[in-house]
Amino acid sequence: MNLEGGCSCGAIRYQLTNSPLIVHACHCRDCQRVTGSGFVINIWIEKKFVDASGATPKSVVLKGGTGKDHEAFFCDKCGTYVWSRYAVAPSGEALFVRAGTLDNPAAVTPADHIFTRSKLPWVRLPEGATAFETAYKIDDVWPAASKERARRNIAAQS
């Protein structure tokens, strides 16, 4: 997989050099506020596979859907949020890249919908979509290859 994207003004550019661990749609209030929309599509991928160029994103610490802090990264020129880093993510050093910042956001499809307890009532999930009121257990949702990659990432940090 070779996906490219960036902020609205083009000051930040990036290329994803591996496939995501998973892609999900998050309906938590934090994601609604940060995006100014009903939800966000997050591409969960290791930081080492996000080849960024151009301006260095600024960051701010916010409360995530779990109530724990997360760091949101944005362009200081145009304000576009390009990715976040969640301390609770148990897959090693990972980023949650905002799929809406891809040059072709249709290239990814969410595998699941999380924090649907705060989903806006007018948002309709696709028929048969995998959905969770809050977060999910990785072992119950992720493909085997992604779980193994995450296990190796965590082991490498030890």
Side-chain angles (χ1 to χ4, degrees):
M1 179 170 284
N2 188 349
L3 299 171
E4 295 183 15
C7 67
S8 295
C9 72
I12 298 172
R13 293 292 301 163
Y14 65 83
Q15 180 178 41
L16 303 184
T17 60
N18 202 342
S19 59
L21 292 163
I22 197 162
V23 177
H24 62 250
C26 184
H27 299 265
C28 80
R29 288 294 297 133
D30 174 60
C31 285
Q32 291 171 358
R33 281 188 197 98
V34 168
T35 63
S37 185
F39 57 93
V40 69
I41 308 295
N42 279 319
I43 301 167
W44 190 338
I45 189 168
E46 298 94 324
K47 182 179 178 183
K48 65 185 175 186
F49 298 129
V50 180
D51 185 14
S53 61
T56 300
K58 301 293 183 190
S59 70
V60 61
V61 176
L62 304 168
K63 292 281 183 217
T66 63
K68 307 263 186 191
D69 288 346
H70 86 276
E71 191 174 13
F73 294 83
F74 60 94
C75 175
D76 71 342
K77 293 175 180 43
C78 67
T80 302
Y81 279 80
V82 287
W83 52 73
S84 287
R85 182 173 36 227
Y86 291 86
V88 298
S91 60
E93 186 70 15
L95 296 177
F96 290 68
V97 177
R98 303 296 194 246
T101 65
L102 290 171
D103 294 342
N104 177 15
V108 297
T109 302
D112 55 75
H113 293 257
I114 59 175
F115 290 96
T116 59
R117 69 180 178 200
S118 48
K119 178 182 75 61
L120 297 174
W122 49 262
V123 172
R124 302 287 181 251
L125 301 183
E127 191 170 324
T130 303
F132 301 91
E133 284 194 10
T134 59
Y136 55 76
K137 293 180 182 175
I138 287 174
D139 285 340
D140 295 341
V141 177
W142 282 24
S146 291
K147 288 188 274 192
E148 176 57 22
R149 227 167 84 190
R151 186 197 64 71
R152 286 192 316 264
N153 293 335
I154 293 167
Q157 290 180 335
S158 299

